[in-house]
């Protein structure tokens, strides 16, 4: 991603690895859009905390972070005892896997790194293979986002008004993004269009992160309150919806994504507006049979009861908005059924949700 820092454009990945320091380097997303800062995690436990506390968030980005975290944990092991090393790696794997449950990318990434490590016959070999495998996961994430952008770009026609939800952009991946990839590819082809960013309460990733990205990229956009989309659909002001996903079931075509996605899919169907989901292959879950089995993260009530923002003096502060004696229910994700989805944009092309299973070889299943 290109970020303007002190007037100059500089390229960053959302997640990277500092080999000599054995650190995972992350853009501190909780500070955006007010401050751009890159932070390093010194050990795998700190990396897991960064995922859990949402220093880094978004399915692909936490997938790459988990992959690097496993390499980081493996590389920190001292000695040559393989059984002890295996037990240590298993612990690192479990701690990273459990940091956030809904997105499947971290699990897919961790399994992939572990599988590739197994070709090594010594601790040192496995440590080196872990790092190579994590780098490969991160590079593949970028390649997949680029390819799905090319597959999805023809959907974005001149003058269209596109709705997106939450942040499935650069910041949710290593680079480029999923829902934003067709937008960036269409922009490169010289097409002009307008994006409505759902604010996406309670954490407001649309208002803070997607809007910031689109501004960096020079794409025409406006933030809308989550509740405004119905009126815009009814007035014919939305031509297309593109969202990301945290877990897409290859067997059923169901899509887990940020809370509120299902509502937008119902509205799109009601108004005959195409609804697309953009994913790299690491977001596919070929195991679960039903969306009801997807673990839905229940998040802290404080997210609903208040909000973070910047004070006039430039300090980041949390303010309580809700009635002081009330609690909140805060599920982080919902599941959209396949009949509401026009197509799934993947690096291998666009598929109807129910076609994923029969194309599983092509899609890495
Ligand atoms: O809770 P988050 O911010 O990690 O949620 C992830 C998301 O931003 C969205 O659900 C997104 O649309 C999919 S992530 C590519």
């Amino acid at each position: 991603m290109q970020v303007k820092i002190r007037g100059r454009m500089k390229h960053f990945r959302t997640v990277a690895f500092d080999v000599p320091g054995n650190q995972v380097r992350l853009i501190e997303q909780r500070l955006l859009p007010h401050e751009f800062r890159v932070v390093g995690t010194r050990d795998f436990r700190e990396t897991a905390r960064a995922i859990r506390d949402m220093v880094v968030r978004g399915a692909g980005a936490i997938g790459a972070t988990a992959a690097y975290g496993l390499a980081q944990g493996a590389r920190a092991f001292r000695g040559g005892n393989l059984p002890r090393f295996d037990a240590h790696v298993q612990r690192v794997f479990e701690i990273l896997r459990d940091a956030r449950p809904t997105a499947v990318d971290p699990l897919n990434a961790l399994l992939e790194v572990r599988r590739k490590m197994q070709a090594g016959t010594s601790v040192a070999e496995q440590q080196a293979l872990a790092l190579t495998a994590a780098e490969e996961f991160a590079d593949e994430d970028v390649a997949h986002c680029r390819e799905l952008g090319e597959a999805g770009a023809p959907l974005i026609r001149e003058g269209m008004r596109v709705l997106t939800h939450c942040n499935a952009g650069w910041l949710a991946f290593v680079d480029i993004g999923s829902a934003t990839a067709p937008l960036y590819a269409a922009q490169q082809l010289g097409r002009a269009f307008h994006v409505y960013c759902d604010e996406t309460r309670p954490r407001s990733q649309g208002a803070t992160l997607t809007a910031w990205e689109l501004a960096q990229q020079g794409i025409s956009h406006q933030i809308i309150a989550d509740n405004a989309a119905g009126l815009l659909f009814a007035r014919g002001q939305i031509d297309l919806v593109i969202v990301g996903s945290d877990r897409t079931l290859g067997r059923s075509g169901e899509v887990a994504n940020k809370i509120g996605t299902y509502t937008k899919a119902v509205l799109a169907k009601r108004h005959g507006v195409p609804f697309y989901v953009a994913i790299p292959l690491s977001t596919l879950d070929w195991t679960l049979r039903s969306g009801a089995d997807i673990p839905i993260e229940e998040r802290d009530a404080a997210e609903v009861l208040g909000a973070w923002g910047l004070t006039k003096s430039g300090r980041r502060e949390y303010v309580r908005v809700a009635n002081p004696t009330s609690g909140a229910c805060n599920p982080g994700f919902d599941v959209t059924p396949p009949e509401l989805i026009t197509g799934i944009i993947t690096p291998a092309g666009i598929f109807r949700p129910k076609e994923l299973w029969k194309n599983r070889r092509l899609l890495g299943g």
Side-chain angles (χ1 to χ4, degrees), residues 4 36 59 137 187 229 244 264 301 306 314 333:
K4 199 179 217 170
F36 183 83
F137 181 89
Q187 184 193 34
K264 300 302 147 75
F333 299 90

Side-chain angles (χ1 to χ4, degrees), residues 197-255:
C197 310
D198 276 342
E199 176 189 23
T200 321
R201 280 285 290 151
R203 286 187 72 99
S204 304
Q205 292 96 324
T208 57
L209 305 178
T210 305
W212 179 78
E213 279 193 23
L214 295 178
Q216 295 285 322
Q217 194 75 23
I219 289 181
S220 162
H221 66 282
Q222 283 168 306
I223 299 161
I224 59 168
D226 293 318
N227 297 329
L231 181 71
L232 298 192
F233 274 114
R235 283 180 177 165
Q237 285 176 251
I238 297 174
D239 304 302
L240 179 73
V241 185
I242 308 186
V243 299
S245 169
D246 298 271
R247 188 185 293 240
T248 293
L249 301 196
R251 286 173 184 270
S252 69
E254 288 160 290
V255 167

Side-chain angles (χ1 to χ4, degrees), residues 17 24 47 51 61-73 96 105-106 109-110 113 130-131 133-135 137-138:
F17 195 74
V24 185
T47 302
I51 295 173
I62 59 175
T65 305
Y68 281 130
L70 187 56
Q72 179 185 38
L96 289 163
D105 304 61
L110 289 164
V113 173
L131 182 56
E135 295 284 14
F137 181 89

Side-chain angles (χ1 to χ4, degrees), residues 54 57-59 100 166-168 172-173 205 244-246 257-258 333:
M54 294 178 68
R57 33 64 53 204
R100 286 194 75 190
C166 199
N167 173 263
F173 290 87
Q205 292 96 324
S245 169
D246 298 271
N257 194 46
K258 181 53 58 190
F333 299 90

Side-chain angles (χ1 to χ4, degrees), residues 124-177:
E125 267 177 32
Q126 291 202 15
Q127 286 171 323
L129 285 168
L131 182 56
T132 307
E135 295 284 14
E136 282 169 3
F137 181 89
D139 291 345
E140 190 174 85
D141 182 84
V142 179
H144 281 185
C145 288
R146 185 169 296 114
E147 286 159 19
L148 76 87
E150 284 159 15
L155 300 172
I156 320 281
R157 292 191 300 276
E158 185 69 21
M160 266 190 164
R161 290 138 319 161
V162 184
L163 176 71
T164 190
H165 190 70
C166 199
N167 173 263
W170 302 327
L171 291 163
F173 290 87
V174 177
D175 205 347
I176 303 170

